[in-house]
Amino acid sequence: MIFKEKFDYFVALERMGEFASQEAKLLVEILEEFDPATLKQRVDEMHEIENAADDQIHELFTHIATEFLTPIEREDIAMIALRLDDVVDYIDDVVQQLYMYDIQEIYQPAFDMASIIVRATDALCDCLVEFRNFRKSKVLNDKIIVVNDLEDEADHLYLRTIRDLFKNYVDSPVFILSWQNIFLHLERCIDACESATDIMATVALKNT
């Protein structure tokens, strides 16, 4: 008799985190090597990762809907997966915003925010790897705090950046509008990382 391999929900969630981390690193690469002439190709490159993440989440939800037993409550798995999908979508959106607003030069604080996103997605991946052992883990909470601290750092950078836009670029309303919206999407990336880890913390609390 051939037994079907059991679907590993924790591995699926880890893969979602890995897609977000890949996107974050690609975002930094796009900013550092910024070339408006090739931006559409970079949009497509980012979107390929987003599509792969979509395939992963569709597979996960198919198993949630059809399997009788899951390692934790279906709703908890779904909520974590959706927040991870938000991270992936928001990073993808950032590059699309650069293209839609026809950005010709990168505003310096964007490099700093992208760097925080890389650190946040890497920290998120660390949390996801540890989450498999959440019932016994002694370090999951510490790893979650790392993401929370990065979200605080991003909040402070966001406030300084928006203030700088309206203080120093009053004669460039299109510049203000463009970068205000781009930074909103950048901040959302890190907010979604924190939301995913908050759900992990709640699940761990409910099950210990």
Side-chain angles (χ1 to χ4, degrees), residues 131-144:
F131 185 60
R132 174 185 294 277
N133 304 309
F134 70 88
R135 289 184 176 88
K136 299 179 180 179
S137 176
K138 299 182 185 299
V139 298
L140 177 59
N141 189 59
D142 292 337
K143 293 180 180 295
I144 288 172

Side-chain angles (χ1 to χ4, degrees), residues 15-183:
R15 286 175 180 160
M16 290 294 297
E18 289 165 5
F19 286 127
S21 180
Q22 289 174 29
E23 281 194 334
K25 292 175 175 63
L26 178 57
L27 174 62
V28 168
E29 181 183 309
I30 291 170
L31 296 180
E32 290 179 344
E33 302 174 359
F34 190 72
D35 180 359
T38 62
L39 188 54
K40 181 59 172 66
Q41 288 85 347
R42 305 316 295 265
V43 169
D44 294 340
E45 187 178 346
M46 182 71 79
H47 203 58
E48 286 181 8
I49 303 175
E50 194 267 343
N51 284 338
D54 279 347
D55 290 341
Q56 179 65 77
I57 198 170
H58 291 157
E59 181 184 14
L60 184 147
F61 272 90
T62 297
H63 283 275
I64 288 178
T66 57
E67 291 187 354
F68 180 69
L69 292 175
T70 55
I72 57 177
E73 293 183 17
R74 300 169 194 274
E75 292 80 4
D76 291 332
I77 297 173
M79 287 299 296
I80 296 171
L82 288 171
R83 294 295 77 76
L84 295 173
D85 190 48
D86 285 343
V87 180
V88 171
D89 287 346
Y90 291 153
I91 298 174
D92 183 51
D93 286 345
V94 169
V95 183
Q96 292 190 41
Q97 295 267 321
L98 295 172
Y99 179 72
M100 286 190 298
Y101 289 120
D102 194 25
I103 298 299
Q104 297 297 305
E105 185 176 352
I106 300 302
Y107 178 41
Q108 180 60 40
F111 295 105
D112 299 327
M113 188 66 92
S115 175
I116 298 174
I117 292 172
V118 169
R119 287 185 283 147
T121 53
D122 284 347
L124 176 61
C125 287
D126 288 342
C127 292
L128 289 164
V129 170
E130 189 64 28
F131 185 60
R132 174 185 294 277
N133 304 309
F134 70 88
R135 289 184 176 88
K136 299 179 180 179
S137 176
K138 299 182 185 299
V139 298
L140 177 59
N141 189 59
D142 292 337
K143 293 180 180 295
I144 288 172
I145 289 172
V146 172
V147 178
N148 294 339
D149 289 345
L150 287 167
E151 194 275 336
D152 286 341
E153 183 179 343
D155 277 349
H156 290 305
L157 176 58
Y158 178 77
L159 289 173
R160 293 196 306 271
T161 300
I162 300 304
R163 176 178 171 81
D164 178 65
L165 281 172
F166 282 90
K167 182 179 180 180
N168 297 315
Y169 297 90
V170 290
D171 296 328
S172 305
V174 173
F175 185 89
I176 292 175
L177 173 65
S178 301
W179 282 105
Q180 181 183 19
N181 286 334
I182 292 168
F183 262 83

